[in-house]
Amino acid sequence: MSKQKEELEHRLKLRNIKLSDFDDIRKIMVSAYKTQGMTWTKEEFENQLNAFPEGQICLEDNGKVVAVALSLIVDYSKYGDNHNYDQITGYGKFDTHDEDGDTLYGTDVFVDKEYRGLRLGRRLYDARKELCENLNLRSIIAGGRIPGYSKYADQMSPRKYIELVKNKEIFDPVLSFQLANEFHVRKVITKYLPEDTDSRAYATLLEWINIYYEKDEKLIGNKKTIVRLGLVQWKMRRFNDVDDLMQQVEFFVDTVSDYKSDFCLFPEFFNAPLLAEFNKMDASEAIRNLADYTEEIVNRMRDLALSYNVNIIAGSMPEYDNKKLRNVSYLCRRDGTMDKQYKLHITPDEQSYWGLQGGNGIKVFDTDAGKVGILICYDIEFPELSRILAEKEMDILFVPFWTDTKNAYLRVSTCAKSRAIENECYVAITGSVGNLPRVENMDIQHSQAAIYSPSDFSFPHDAIIAEASLNTETTIVADVDLDLLTKLRKAGSVRNLAQRRLDLYSIQWKNKR
């Protein structure tokens, strides 16, 4: 290989800065900044390395430093948004560095002019983000110069200039780069760097939020990020009594618990086989008699949740109270607490056969394995409900359903897939299979239980985490990663929740009770 070719070869290396790098760094600073007041002295540089060596990062090429990023850790509450550069850097000494602080403060980034266009600044920003995550800091904050503003200062305010840069009507060599690297502008700062004439002493206060930040991390009992779901695709069969039914329920709870599942989901009206006892009654009378068993079944499922250490979504069961027949799903947490969610939308068939009425409330439930929502069957076909839950930061949506035909099942499953994508959450659905001769309105079943995900690079290509065999009694056990949802919402290919045009539309829950 010729000597000339060797000289043209790049050998980039990311590393922490050493004191011996000062001469290389000084040359870059002098060429990058017009005024000497904006460059570091060797004494200041040495102080920075002594204060926080891990935060001083560079890229070298064949042994020569060509790009630099400097930072320190601060307790941001001590400074607030109205600080200036000298205050937060201790006039360049970095004696404001606080190992117990919560924020990585970016003080400088500069690249050798000969190396611009190679996206080295992006590599340095990525390294800063990695440092922020590894140190479990809340965010990166920086005061950003807007050197292009001097050309427009007589025509518009800094606020207007920043707006146009955001909309890509104007290119600013610093701000455009920072916005492209997932920073957002918190506010405009005045007199941040008085000697920065190009920016007219204005600066943008920029922030990048560490989505993996964990406040007051504990050794045990931390929020789970990998959550295991167990779904029961239930076979409708004749049971002699509640004890007989609960024996089969316990079998499945035991099964998914053996796999260390965090949740166990049963289908809508999984206790319908007990209707056979009221076979000679009118359908509306029979379902009201079935409701008499609900309290006993729920209490026994709560005990199963405790003894098998699994949160149980108890499908749904009829509740008859104060002359109102409703369809309700119970969440039996493994800590012994319970919540419930009523079905809100009643199908024409349910109303005409049984006289069911819809509930009036919806909520997100806190659990030890994330925030969850429950929508019973038909409710998944109304996108407003899932969106309301998503706005309350739901991670997993459980959908117990009962469908008799394939087209009915496809309505539920297709809508469930859509809800996962629209709301950037996981959706788990399960129903029942088999048949119930001599049980009016519950005679045939069609189901294929499944767990759906959003559709992006971090998820399965078809947005299906797991899928059961069609019309077979079985279980699904699969893991979902809640951290992937956090990543998607902040940096996904598309961001359905963040990019809604709330200036044009919104969803309003009218019932205040």
Side-chain angles (χ1 to χ4, degrees):
M1 183 183 295
S2 68
K3 183 178 180 181
Q4 183 180 12
K5 188 172 182 182
E6 285 180 355
E7 289 175 350
L8 291 175
E9 259 191 5
H10 292 298
R11 298 179 188 273
L12 291 175
K13 180 181 178 181
L14 179 71
R15 63 172 173 81
N16 288 113
I17 293 171
K18 300 174 290 187
L19 186 59
S20 58
D21 296 322
F22 178 73
D23 289 340
D24 284 345
I25 292 172
R26 175 76 176 176
K27 290 176 185 177
I28 304 172
M29 284 191 292
V30 169
S31 66
Y33 299 129
K34 291 182 179 179
T35 63
Q36 292 292 314
M38 295 176 63
T39 61
W40 302 109
T41 67
K42 189 168 186 177
E43 182 181 0
E44 291 168 334
F45 182 69
E46 187 172 2
N47 287 336
Q48 293 163 7
L49 292 184
N50 290 335
F52 183 36
E54 299 89 348
Q56 319 319 320
I57 303 166
C58 72
L59 281 164
E60 70 167 41
D61 186 22
N62 290 306
K64 173 189 174 185
V65 175
V66 296
V68 174
L70 308 175
S71 60
L72 69 158
I73 299 172
V74 297
D75 179 353
Y76 194 69
S77 64
K78 293 180 179 179
Y79 302 94
D81 287 350
N82 294 317
H83 63 270
N84 63 39
Y85 190 76
D86 286 337
Q87 289 171 339
I88 207 156
T89 64
Y91 293 89
K93 298 176 183 177
F94 278 26
D95 55 10
T96 52
H97 174 70
D98 183 354
E99 290 185 358
D100 296 322
D102 63 351
T103 300
L104 186 68
Y105 195 90
T107 63
D108 228 330
V109 172
F110 41 84
V111 178
D112 190 317
K113 287 185 177 180
E114 294 182 9
Y115 285 78
R116 291 177 187 174
L118 296 180
R119 301 189 177 185
L120 301 189
R122 183 179 294 273
R123 294 198 195 194
L124 292 174
Y125 268 55
D126 287 344
R128 262 190 189 164
K129 292 173 185 176
E130 183 181 4
L131 180 65
C132 182
E133 291 172 356
N134 289 337
L135 291 174
N136 191 37
L137 299 174
R138 182 181 59 81
S139 65
I140 302 173
I141 287 183
R145 300 173 60 232
I146 44 174
Y149 180 59
S150 59
K151 299 177 183 178
Y152 299 90
D154 296 334
Q155 305 169 35
M156 64 186 72
S157 67
R159 184 182 298 274
K160 182 64 176 177
Y161 175 79
I162 291 167
E163 181 184 341
L164 292 174
V165 173
K166 283 182 179 179
N167 294 336
K168 299 187 183 298
E169 299 292 337
I170 294 175
F171 175 79
D172 183 276
V174 176
L175 180 57
S176 295
F177 168 75
Q178 290 165 327
L179 293 174
N181 277 275
E182 300 174 335
F183 280 74
H184 70 273
V185 178
R186 283 174 61 133
K187 65 173 294 183
V188 178
I189 311 175
T190 59
K191 299 179 181 179
Y192 182 69
L193 273 170
E195 61 270 31
D196 183 8
T197 54
D198 285 344
S199 304
R200 299 293 175 93
Y202 289 107
T204 54
L205 186 66
L206 297 144
E207 182 175 33
W208 176 85
I209 297 173
N210 176 14
I211 59 178
Y212 302 113
Y213 172 63
E214 290 284 349
K215 186 176 180 180
D216 298 325
E217 191 169 347
K218 299 176 289 187
L219 294 178
I220 60 173
N222 286 307
K223 177 186 174 184
K224 295 176 71 72
T225 56
I226 304 298
V227 177
R228 183 158 295 174
L229 308 183
L231 279 58
V232 177
Q233 186 158 276
W234 173 265
K235 183 176 181 180
M236 291 294 194
R237 54 166 67 83
R238 293 293 293 270
F239 293 109
N240 296 324
D241 51 30
V242 174
D243 287 337
D244 199 14
L245 173 83
M246 292 306 298
Q247 183 178 353
Q248 189 68 13
V249 167
E250 184 171 4
F251 165 78
F252 281 115
V253 172
D254 186 11
T255 298
V256 300
S257 175
D258 280 347
Y259 291 104
K260 309 299 182 185
S261 296
D262 296 295
F263 291 98
C264 180
L265 174 65
F266 283 87
E268 180 183 24
F269 284 134
F270 70 96
N271 65 336
L274 297 177
L275 278 168
E277 181 182 343
F278 315 111
N279 170 35
K280 296 180 180 179
M281 297 180 182
D282 177 83
S284 62
E285 185 180 0
I287 195 77
R288 284 161 175 79
N289 277 272
L290 180 65
D292 291 340
Y293 291 123
T294 295
E295 183 177 359
E296 179 185 354
I297 294 172
V298 170
N299 287 335
R300 293 175 69 166
M301 293 191 89
R302 179 193 58 196
D303 292 342
L304 291 176
L306 281 167
S307 59
Y308 286 97
N309 192 29
V310 60
N311 299 299
I312 299 176
I313 290 89
S316 82
M317 291 170 275
E319 175 191 270
Y320 188 53
D321 182 49
N322 198 26
K323 300 296 183 181
K324 287 185 178 180
L325 178 69
R326 293 184 289 189
N327 188 356
V328 61
S329 178
Y330 285 86
L331 167 61
C332 303
R333 297 185 185 87
R334 53 186 164 194
D335 66 1
T337 60
M338 291 198 306
D339 262 308
K340 60 184 178 181
Q341 175 64 58
Y342 289 104
K343 188 173 186 176
L344 303 186
H345 297 87
I346 305 304
T347 66
D349 189 66
E350 291 169 333
Q351 202 285 323
S352 62
Y353 268 90
W354 294 331
L356 271 170
Q357 298 182 47
N360 297 313
I362 191 170
K363 65 180 291 189
V364 167
F365 304 103
D366 287 314
T367 74
D368 59 4
K371 292 179 177 288
V372 307
I374 302 172
L375 293 180
I376 302 172
C377 198
Y378 193 31
D379 282 343
I380 194 65
E381 299 176 33
F382 296 84
E384 298 89 348
L385 299 182
S386 302
R387 179 51 51 86
I388 289 168
L389 294 173
E391 289 175 343
K392 298 177 184 290
E393 301 181 341
M394 171 186 65
D395 299 308
I396 306 168
L397 177 59
F398 291 101
V399 184
F401 70 87
W402 170 78
T403 53
D404 52 354
T405 61
K406 184 175 182 179
N407 61 313
Y409 163 74
L410 288 175
R411 285 197 299 269
V412 169
S413 60
T414 303
C415 289
K417 291 176 184 176
S418 299
R419 303 299 89 87
I421 293 170
E422 294 165 354
N423 299 299
E424 298 169 341
C425 66
Y426 297 105
V427 180
I429 69 170
T430 195
S432 52
V433 301
N435 57 75
L436 280 175
R438 300 170 59 200
V439 175
E440 189 176 0
N441 203 38
M442 296 289 291
D443 43 359
I444 59 174
Q445 329 288 321
H446 187 102
S447 174
Q448 186 171 26
I451 303 169
Y452 303 123
S453 74
S455 183
D456 210 338
F457 298 117
S458 299
F459 303 95
H461 74 279
D462 56 0
I464 300 174
I465 301 286
E467 205 167 35
S469 299
L470 179 65
N471 285 334
T472 302
E473 185 173 43
T474 187
T475 61
I476 296 177
V477 177
D479 290 343
V480 296
D481 188 339
L482 303 188
D483 275 350
L484 291 182
L485 298 181
T486 305
K487 180 179 177 182
L488 173 70
R489 291 163 186 167
K490 293 290 184 181
S493 300
V494 293
R495 301 163 203 173
N496 295 78
L497 288 177
Q499 295 181 321
R500 287 171 293 155
R501 288 291 305 276
L502 297 179
D503 57 322
L504 300 179
Y505 58 84
S506 65
I507 296 174
Q508 180 182 2
W509 183 261
K510 294 182 178 181
N511 192 335
K512 302 299 182 183
R513 290 184 296 170

